[in-house]
Amino acid sequence: MLEAFPVQGVRAPALAMFKPVLMLCRAVLLVALTQAATPAVAQDDHVIQSQDVLRIRVGQFDPVSQAYVNWDSVSGEYRVSPTGQVTVPMIGAVTAAGTNPAELSQDLTDMLNRRLGLDESVDVIVDLASFRNIFVIGAVNAPGAYPYTPGLSVLQALSLAGGTERMAGTLLQSQRSAISTQGQYRLLQMNLLANLATEARLTAELNEADIETPPRLEEAPLGEELMQREREIKEARDTAFRSSLDQIEGLETLLQEQIARQNEQLELRERQLTLVREELSTASDLVERGLSTASRASSLERLVADQEVRMLELETSTLQAQQRLNEARRDRLNLTNDRRRNLVSQLRGTRVTIEETRLKLDTQAALFAEAMRMGDGYVMPDSKGQPTIQITRRGPEGPEVFTATRATTVRPDDVIEVSLPDVDSVRVFPLDTPNDAAEPPGPLTLNQ
C-alpha cells in the first residue's frame, strides 16, 4: 500500500487557500505512479485483447489527512477473460477487449466515481502487466513462443528465434540414389510377399482349414517357396497343438477311469460294511443272552471302524481325482482359447505391417521418380531467393494472413512463419560423368 504523505503545518481554515496547490500535487503524484507502473515504451496504442494481464491502480486524494492514498483492496493485476471482460471489485465486469489502456482507465474512473457518488476524486490507472507471446515457426533455428515487447519488429523476432536456417549447397547423386531406392523397393516387395503368405497361414489356422495361396503370390517368382515355408510352419504348429491336446485328453481319460474304479470300490466297501454291521448286531445279541463271548463283538466293532475309514479314504481320493479332472478340462479350454487369441493378435499385426509396407512402397517409388527427375549435379541456392515471411494475426472477423517484411511491426499473439525457397528455385550445376556411366534403372511399377 502506498503510504500517505500528510501536508503538515497547514491548518484546516487555510485549506481552501491551498486547494489549487493540493490539486497540482495530486496530478504530480498520479504522473509519478503512472511512470513507475508502466514500461518505458508507451502502451496507449496497444489494443487490449483476451488473456492480457492488466495492472490496475486505484487511488484517491484525502483532503482530511492531506495525503494521496492507494486502494489496495481494488488495485492489483487482472486477466482479461476469453469473453473480453475484466472483473474489478466495487465495479463489476467491464468490457476491456477492443480498448486501449487510456480508454479503459477513463471508463473505470467514471464508473467508480459514479457508483460511489464521488465528485471525480478517485483516479484509476491501467497499464499492461504482461503481453501475450508471439510465435515463430518454420525455417528458423529455434522455433517456439517468445515474449512480446511493444515496438517489436519481424527482424527482432527472428533474432529471438536464432535467425533463419541457412540453405547450404547439396551434392546430388541421383543415379546412385535411384539405384539405392530401387533396392529398397525390391526389399519391401519381398517383405510384402512374405507378410501376405503369413496372413494366409494365420487365416487358415484361425479357421482350421487349409492354406489358400493369395493371387499376388501365384504370380510372384518366389511365391510357391514362401507358401511352402508357411505350410511347414502351420503343420509344425498344428502338430504341437494336437500333441498338447492329446496329453490333456489322455490325462482326462485316466482320471475318469480312476474315478470309475474308485466308485466301484466304494460300492463294494458299502456292501462289506453292511454285512459286518449285520454280523455285529447278531453277535451283540448273542453276547447279551450269554451265548457268545464279548471278544467276538469287539473284533467285529474294530472291523466296522476299519471299513468306515477305508470308505472315507476312497471318497477323499475320488474327490481329488474329480478336482484334477476339472483342472485338466480347464487347461484344455485355456489352451484352445489362448491359441485363438494369439492367432487373432498375430493376424491383426500382420495386416498392419502389410499396409505400412504398401505405403513405404509408394514412398520409394516417388523417391525414385524424384531422383530421376533431378539428375546428377551440385545444388546451390539462388542468390535472388529470399525467405518468405507470413504473419497470421487475429482479427475481428477471424485470423488474417499477410506477407510481411523484416521491418513489419509485430503484435501480441502474432504467428510468424518463415519459409525458404524450395529446390525448384535453386540452381543445379551438372557434374562431369564418364562416358561409360551406367544408365539409371527404369521406372518402377506397383502391383498391389
Side-chain angles (χ1 to χ4, degrees):
M1 177 177 178
L2 295 179
E3 297 181 357
F5 297 95
V7 180
Q8 299 178 353
V10 180
R11 297 172 180 259
L15 180 59
M17 176 188 216
F18 288 95
K19 186 173 182 180
V21 177
L22 294 176
M23 294 300 294
L24 179 60
C25 293
R26 172 186 170 192
V28 171
L29 286 173
L30 283 175
V31 171
L33 288 173
T34 304
Q35 291 179 349
T38 58
V41 181
Q43 301 181 2
D44 289 345
D45 295 335
H46 176 77
V47 178
I48 300 174
Q49 299 291 341
S50 62
Q51 303 306 317
D52 276 343
V53 178
L54 305 179
R55 183 184 296 109
I56 300 178
R57 282 175 165 75
V58 181
Q60 182 186 24
F61 182 79
D62 186 3
V64 176
S65 62
Q66 302 298 310
Y68 189 84
V69 182
N70 184 42
W71 291 11
D72 289 339
S73 59
V74 183
S75 302
E77 293 186 357
Y78 300 88
R79 183 179 296 275
V80 182
S81 68
T83 59
Q85 292 184 326
V86 60
T87 303
V88 182
M90 299 198 315
I91 298 179
V94 181
T95 300
T99 65
N100 57 42
E103 294 173 344
L104 183 59
S105 298
Q106 186 61 46
D107 293 342
L108 294 176
T109 300
D110 295 341
M111 295 176 67
L112 191 58
N113 284 323
R114 187 166 53 251
R115 175 160 297 188
L116 298 179
L118 302 175
D119 185 16
E120 299 183 357
S121 61
V122 176
D123 298 287
V124 180
I125 301 172
V126 177
D127 66 340
L128 285 163
S130 64
F131 293 89
R132 299 182 304 279
N133 289 334
I134 61 169
F135 304 88
V136 186
I137 61 174
V140 292
N141 291 314
Y146 293 94
Y148 170 82
T149 56
L152 186 71
S153 66
V154 168
L155 182 60
Q156 292 170 330
L158 295 182
S159 67
L160 293 175
T164 59
E165 295 177 349
R166 300 186 62 182
M167 188 175 179
T170 304
L171 178 63
L172 293 181
Q173 293 179 325
S174 299
Q175 182 174 338
R176 180 180 299 177
S177 298
I179 295 175
S180 175
T181 302
Q182 189 181 39
Q184 291 291 331
Y185 184 89
R186 299 305 180 196
L187 181 60
L188 289 172
Q189 278 187 323
M190 289 299 302
N191 291 338
L192 177 62
L193 294 176
N195 285 315
L196 288 174
T198 302
E199 181 188 22
R201 189 252 303 168
L202 292 173
T203 303
E205 287 187 65
L206 190 60
N207 297 329
E208 298 181 358
D210 295 333
I211 299 180
E212 297 182 1
T213 303
R216 176 71 182 275
L217 272 75
E218 292 178 352
E219 304 173 356
L222 299 178
E224 183 58 32
E225 181 180 347
L226 292 173
M227 292 306 302
Q228 181 61 31
R229 185 187 67 178
E230 295 298 331
R231 292 189 185 96
E232 294 174 356
I233 294 175
K234 180 178 182 299
E235 183 178 357
R237 288 163 62 97
D238 289 346
T239 300
F241 178 68
R242 284 195 300 269
S243 176
S244 299
L245 282 181
D246 291 342
Q247 292 179 1
I248 295 176
E249 290 175 356
L251 178 61
E252 290 179 357
T253 302
L254 291 175
L255 290 173
Q256 289 173 350
E257 292 178 357
Q258 178 183 349
I259 292 172
R261 290 181 181 275
Q262 289 177 346
N263 287 334
E264 293 176 359
Q265 292 180 13
L266 281 173
E267 292 178 1
L268 292 175
R269 294 286 183 183
E270 183 67 29
R271 287 197 296 268
Q272 291 177 359
L273 182 60
T274 301
L275 293 175
V276 174
R277 283 174 178 172
E278 291 176 355
E279 187 177 355
L280 176 60
S281 177
T282 303
S284 299
D285 185 57
L286 292 175
V287 170
E288 289 178 359
R289 290 187 296 175
L291 300 177
S292 179
T293 62
S295 60
R296 174 61 180 170
S298 298
S299 177
L300 291 173
E301 287 177 355
R302 287 194 297 272
L303 183 59
V304 168
D306 182 66
Q307 291 294 333
E308 289 177 346
V309 170
R310 291 180 180 275
M311 286 187 64
L312 288 175
E313 292 176 350
L314 282 174
E315 290 175 352
T316 302
S317 178
T318 302
L319 290 175
Q320 292 175 348
Q322 186 64 46
Q323 180 180 0
R324 293 178 59 192
L325 178 61
N326 293 335
E327 292 175 353
R329 290 171 177 171
R330 182 194 60 195
D331 292 342
R332 176 162 53 85
L333 183 61
N334 290 340
L335 179 64
T336 303
N337 292 337
D338 290 344
R339 178 175 182 266
R340 185 173 184 83
R341 182 166 53 251
N342 290 335
L343 288 173
V344 171
S345 177
Q346 293 176 17
L347 184 59
R348 184 185 300 112
T350 302
R351 287 173 177 171
V352 171
T353 303
I354 289 173
E355 294 303 320
E356 291 177 349
T357 305
R358 286 174 172 166
L359 291 175
K360 291 178 181 178
L361 283 169
D362 290 337
T363 302
Q364 292 297 325
L367 290 174
F368 179 86
E370 178 67 15
M372 297 305 298
R373 181 181 70 85
M374 291 299 299
D376 292 346
Y378 190 76
V379 175
M380 284 296 295
D382 192 347
S383 59
K384 299 180 180 179
Q386 295 294 332
T388 301
I389 303 173
Q390 286 189 328
I391 293 181
T392 302
R393 177 171 296 169
R394 177 167 48 172
E397 299 180 358
E400 302 174 355
V401 181
F402 60 92
T403 302
T405 65
R406 298 185 178 185
T408 302
T409 302
V410 181
R411 294 183 183 178
D413 253 357
D414 278 358
V415 179
I416 306 171
E417 182 176 4
V418 182
S419 303
L420 294 179
D422 56 16
V423 178
D424 291 335
S425 65
V426 301
R427 295 175 292 170
V428 179
F429 299 92
L431 297 176
D432 295 333
T433 55
N435 295 330
D436 57 350
E439 292 294 329
L444 301 177
T445 58
L446 293 176
N447 297 320
Q448 300 180 20

